[in-house]
Amino acid sequence: MIRRHLIKTAAAAALVAGLSPSLAAAQDVTLRLHQFLPPPATVPKHILKPWATRVEEASGGKLKIEHFDAMSLGGRPPELMDQAIDGVADITMTVVGYTPGRFLKTEVFELPFMMTNPVATSMAFQDMVETDLQQGEYKDLKVLGAWVHGPGVIHADRPIETVEDMEGLKVRGPTRVINNLLEELGATPVGMPLPAIPEALSKGVVGGTVIPWEVTPAIKLSELVDNHTEFTGDEALYTATIIMVMNKAKYESLPDDIRAAIDAESGIKLSKFASEVMWAKDAPGRAIAEEAGNNIIQLPAEEVARFKEKAQPVIAAWVAQMAEKGIDGDKLIAEAKALIKKHGG
């Protein structure tokens, strides 16, 4: 009886406020967004927080998104995908490759020299999510947005001017595919999430890393290494796939209007926005290295061709691994390239 009286009292209070009981409850919806980067980094500061603000505004003030940066809800970056599945966080943003071997089709966008343009590649990735991957390898999650970063750059404690310069260099790599590429180039890959890079470089655990310019200011990379190698031409050495996902049950339980507010700012709109921001932030990161007097190497076309030739076994091995899982890797590569071209890449 007491419980029923409390429910009636709450409903009456809502009506006094001029709201229906369901709408009053909807105003209290709070979602927790968890990710691994520090607050000043490009993704949380210039992508996730602006996105969340737009969603909150679109909800008419009924939704609040709380930000938990730098793994402040606990765990390690490789656990972020499962944190969203298990409801430890409502929303997580992560690099897909931090959970190697689980999201195999997604890896097609990380293959060497696949990316020609990060915005086109991001929109291609999102297209594939919507036509295949959401119902497939992401079926336990709700994908809010999928994108890639700008062209990958080699940052090292020694100049990398030829393929041979990679020989024996310990290099941090972010994902399984990229680590396979580094190994094929003669380097010794060391897998680790981005936040671990500064300590690994300062302690000599690695002598280099591959990341885009965009994220270098957040970890003060230009103070840790003096040499940066860029790849000229239309195709990037590599990129990494990034995804923002939501607990599926939580998403489906939301009121229709709040779910509509999230949808309106997600999908291809978020994919395009995120990739444009990350790509634009490459320039300021590069400028810091220039101002520091660091050695920025732009490989000539003939040397890029040698890297590309050296990378072919990585692609062949990936196709063979996909075949073992019942996936037509060659067909998937063709589909990815066609989608990238469709979006102007």
Side-chain angles (χ1 to χ4, degrees), residues 248 276 295 330:
K248 194 172 183 181
E276 286 175 342
N295 181 27
D330 285 322

Side-chain angles (χ1 to χ4, degrees), residues 40-99:
T42 296
V43 172
K45 183 176 181 180
H46 298 287
I47 297 173
L48 303 185
K49 290 181 174 68
W51 170 83
T53 297
R54 289 196 296 270
V55 172
E56 290 170 344
E57 291 172 350
S59 77
K62 299 174 185 177
L63 172 65
K64 178 176 176 56
I65 297 176
E66 295 180 340
H67 298 267
F68 295 88
D69 302 319
M71 300 307 298
S72 55
L73 282 180
R76 301 176 301 113
E79 299 168 14
L80 282 164
M81 205 72 84
D82 284 327
Q83 287 188 355
I85 292 173
D86 298 337
V88 173
D90 300 305
I91 302 170
T92 62
M93 183 285 299
T94 190
V95 173
V96 180
Y98 285 178
T99 49

Side-chain angles (χ1 to χ4, degrees), residues 149-163:
H149 62 60
V153 178
I154 301 171
H155 311 267
D157 59 5
R158 68 192 196 200
I160 303 298
E161 297 177 333
T162 67
V163 171

